[in-house]
Amino acid sequence: MQDYKIAPSLLSADFARLGEEAQSVIDADGDKLHLDAMDNHFVPNLTVGPLVCAALRRYGIKADINIHLMAKPIDRLIADFAKAGATDITFHLEASDHIESSLTLIRNLGCKVGIALKPETTWHCLESILEKIDLILVLSVNPGFAGQTFIPSTLDKINQIRNLISISGYDIRLAVDGGIKIENIAQIAEAGADTFVAGSAIFDHHDYAEVIAEMRRELAKVK
Ligand code: DX5
Ligand code: ZN
């Protein structure tokens, strides 16, 4: 079986108990945490910044924290999130004025480098930067809110990006974010994804361990 990873998205957690919620999903067998940083400008919602990432580390969270930046400009936030204990920093191409320098900045600060693609963003722009990235995050909903429905045309995009990664030979994770549920996770894996970001499917369930185990059972069926 593929090395599949499940990344609970804290956007759907109870923010009044964020440390406890973050630890609970890791104890429930989540692989890493996904933290959405939205600025009410790049996307129409406002969430959290580096202070909250630092607070999670102070609370004692040892798991990887993936930052999904939905903000503009990004370079100062990149530096602040790296200092706050982020493991990976992923940004949308449209949010950077100098993509190469943002990629280099993340790498030089010791974090893994991710590129996020909105549903309408073509994957062709990845071709020239593949050697500089560790992670591609394909948005399967319009970024901004949890609980939306998976956009089916994303499956084809995932498939094409999987081919691109295979041909390149680089070691790049292919993550999908938005609308992932027990019912569709296997199909998304079959299209070529190896990392699954899920917010409402996990946090709206009364038993985090049960839903994550159910997702893993679905993934185990994928050939
Ligand atoms: C949406 C965020 C997602 C969000 C996904 O803009 O990037 O990470 O938490 O939520 P669900 O899994 O509920 O679609
Ligand atoms: Zn996200």
Side-chain angles (χ1 to χ4, degrees), residues 9 34-36 38 68 70 137 139 177 197:
S9 172
H34 179 96
L35 186 63
D36 292 300
M38 306 183 189
H68 177 189
M70 285 164 277
L137 181 70
L139 269 288
D177 183 7
V197 177

Side-chain angles (χ1 to χ4, degrees), residues 27-41:
D27 293 344
D29 200 27
D31 292 300
K32 45 173 86 174
L33 298 165
H34 179 96
L35 186 63
D36 292 300
M38 306 183 189
D39 68 349
N40 189 39
H41 170 66

Side-chain angles (χ1 to χ4, degrees), residues 37-54:
M38 306 183 189
D39 68 349
N40 189 39
H41 170 66
F42 187 73
V43 289
N45 200 357
L46 182 65
T47 58
V48 299
L51 285 178
V52 173
C53 182

